[in-house]
Amino acid sequence: MKSILKNRLALSTVVTTLIILVVSVLLAGVVTYFAINVTSTRVQEEALSLTHEHIWVAADGSAVGAIMITNNGGRDVVINKITVRGQECTTLFADPAQNATADIAYAAAPASPYVAVPSDQSIVLPSGETVGVMMTSPDSIGINDIGTTAAFTVFTSQAMYYKETNIQAYA
């Protein structure tokens, strides 16, 4: 037994410690590289900005809603539905050439450049683009709702975006 312990060909304690340290540092480097790779591929998330939101009520009690949606994220987004006060808007009109800085003007019946979006289709919004969306008869908004708040909710496959606005009278 003593001959095994005094063998000159065995590794010393210092060399063994150095090998363990080098292996652990290399392993930590591989794990760090993997973590950076995973997080950098997830950077391109969807991010929508909801601006210029309006709900107008005319003297005859008809209501029109409008909102501008800008895709600030790194990937294209599919807008599945838009709700006002929790009720889905089925009559949507989209203007894909909307200027992101200009406000949306009132229109009793959205006309050109707005295009009707069929209720069974979604709105595709490429990265960096802006779309203006108008809806006729959102929820059950009438003259008695002027001055109160209503919420727009935009649903995509990965998230929902929420924005509130005051209901305005249109004269």
Side-chain angles (χ1 to χ4, degrees), residues 19-166:
I19 290 173
I20 291 172
L21 284 174
V22 168
V23 168
S24 63
V25 167
L26 288 175
L27 188 59
V30 169
V31 170
T32 303
Y33 176 74
F34 176 74
I36 289 171
N37 190 18
V38 168
T39 56
S40 66
T41 58
R42 304 283 287 160
V43 168
Q44 294 186 355
E45 297 280 333
E46 74 176 32
L48 296 182
S49 172
L50 308 179
T51 57
H52 302 299
E53 63 281 344
H54 299 283
I55 296 179
W56 298 282
V57 178
D60 62 357
S62 63
V64 175
I67 191 165
M68 189 175 306
I69 305 169
T70 304
N71 184 357
N72 297 323
R75 64 173 51 169
D76 296 350
V77 174
V78 177
I79 298 170
N80 297 327
K81 71 178 177 178
I82 299 175
T83 63
V84 174
R85 279 203 231 169
Q87 298 296 320
E88 184 173 358
C89 298
T90 56
T91 312
L92 295 177
F93 299 88
D95 176 11
Q98 184 71 41
N99 182 354
T101 58
D103 201 359
I104 300 174
Y106 172 82
S112 180
Y114 285 90
V115 178
V117 178
S119 59
D120 62 340
Q121 288 186 358
S122 300
I123 300 172
V124 177
L125 188 56
S127 178
E129 297 292 318
T130 300
V131 64
V133 179
M134 293 191 85
M135 64 254 355
T136 57
S137 304
D139 190 21
S140 56
I141 295 174
I143 291 180
N144 295 332
D145 294 315
I146 294 174
T148 62
T149 60
F152 287 97
T153 308
V154 177
F155 291 86
T156 66
S157 59
Q158 293 185 352
M160 39 190 262
Y161 300 87
Y162 180 85
K163 189 76 170 196
E164 286 188 353
T165 187
N166 288 328

